[in-house]
Amino acid sequence: MFPPPSAGEAARAARDIADRHALTLESLLAVLRSRTASDRGARQTAIDIAAAALVDLRAASDEREAGVLEPVAGAFARLTRDLRPLMTYGDLDVQFVEPPENGRALPGDVAHAARAIVRNAVLATVDASSARRIRIQWDCDGRNLLIGIRDDGAGDRAAHDDGLRPIAEHVAGLAGDMTVTATPGWGTDVRITIPLDPPPAIDGDALGALTPREREVAALLATGARNADIAREVGISEHTVKYHVSQILRRTGARTRAEVVGLLR
């Protein structure tokens, strides 16, 4: 008998289902808005999309176990199939840079999460409506899945925007890292790193070994303060804040600031 899913697993499953619904609805809208498809062709395509989505959702309960591996090229190919309706009928030109076929295979949960993250990023770009082209790249360095998503929009997006913030939170939940670089007039470049192996255990007892200054910085981290805010509050430079944060990560074994915040809470 399998144990009941945890609250986190249930929330993740609900989020994945919502992602699938959003992708299906966005694809249907793209078809119905198309100026190149005939009424009959659009209707048939919409039926095909809905039928495929229904099959996909019904198969969701049979998602591969976390221990089962997916070849990185195969996981990427499935992503391209997911996004094909937007490529065919939408106004967004989606370009793919395929990963090397001999890259390390991805754990099933990482592959599944990575596809959901990219789908959400593409839909967020569609909602922003200023971009006409988006480039998606996957690679694997042996320890991490590396994702690059670049668009040619206005270049005014940031990680805390409504469209990208949920993606940043999803990445943080996977012990990953996400950076957003926006260049006005040239577009936005999103870089995501997702570890393929589970993070090491966090040493909660190590919090007691922090120096007084490190404990002060850690307490401000728990409030969601940024480096600049912490520097002003404590009266030190941002460079010194970065040093203290790196020391906190090293002492506790945490890999991200989010893990430290979770530990403190």
Side-chain angles (χ1 to χ4, degrees):
M1 181 176 180
F2 295 100
S6 66
E9 291 171 339
R12 189 181 310 115
R15 183 172 61 243
D16 290 342
I17 292 174
D19 291 342
R20 292 168 186 259
H21 279 303
L23 178 65
T24 300
L25 292 173
E26 193 69 42
S27 300
L28 288 172
L29 287 174
V31 172
L32 297 175
R33 291 170 176 168
S34 174
R35 298 185 180 93
T36 60
S38 65
D39 289 347
R40 181 176 179 180
R43 182 167 57 252
Q44 184 58 53
T45 302
I47 291 173
D48 293 343
I49 292 173
L54 181 60
V55 172
D56 194 32
L57 284 172
R58 286 176 174 171
S61 60
D62 297 325
E63 276 290 341
R64 58 192 54 81
E65 297 292 333
V68 177
L69 301 177
E70 281 193 63
V72 63
F76 189 79
R78 181 173 174 183
L79 171 66
T80 64
R81 291 195 297 271
D82 286 348
L83 297 176
R84 187 171 297 154
L86 285 178
M87 298 164 54
T88 304
Y89 297 102
D91 294 328
L92 189 66
D93 178 16
V94 184
Q95 301 175 347
F96 297 98
V97 179
E98 297 185 3
E101 294 188 3
N102 60 351
R104 176 181 169 184
L106 307 180
D109 54 347
V110 172
H112 182 66
R115 285 191 293 266
I117 286 168
V118 174
R119 289 197 304 264
N120 281 345
V122 172
L123 294 178
T125 301
V126 171
D127 291 339
S129 73
S130 62
R132 291 293 174 264
R133 183 179 296 108
I134 188 167
R135 183 173 181 265
I136 300 169
Q137 180 175 4
W138 276 20
D139 202 349
C140 184
D141 64 2
R143 298 178 59 188
N144 305 280
L145 174 62
L146 310 175
I147 301 174
I149 307 169
R150 181 175 180 82
D151 68 57
D152 64 349
D156 56 356
R157 308 177 69 191
H160 59 267
D161 291 346
D162 289 343
L164 292 180
R165 185 174 62 251
I167 298 171
E169 293 173 352
H170 194 173
V171 171
L174 298 167
D177 183 65
M178 171 174 147
T179 60
V180 180
T181 304
T183 305
W186 289 89
T188 302
D189 189 18
V190 179
R191 297 287 168 173
I192 297 171
T193 301
I194 301 177
L196 304 184
D197 298 311
I202 300 176
D203 185 4
D205 294 336
L207 287 175
L210 299 181
T211 67
R213 179 68 82 191
E214 288 168 354
R215 285 198 294 271
E216 188 176 7
V217 171
L220 290 170
L221 278 179
T223 68
R226 300 179 183 178
N227 286 352
D229 301 326
I230 296 174
R232 284 192 297 270
E233 179 72 22
V234 180
I236 56 179
S237 70
E238 286 191 54
H239 179 77
T240 304
V241 172
K242 292 179 181 178
Y243 171 76
H244 286 312
V245 171
S246 67
Q247 287 293 94
I248 294 168
L249 294 174
R250 183 183 63 81
R251 292 179 190 274
T252 61
R255 301 176 69 171
T256 66
R257 296 161 67 108
E259 286 185 357
V260 174
V261 172
L263 188 62
L264 289 166
R265 291 177 177 173

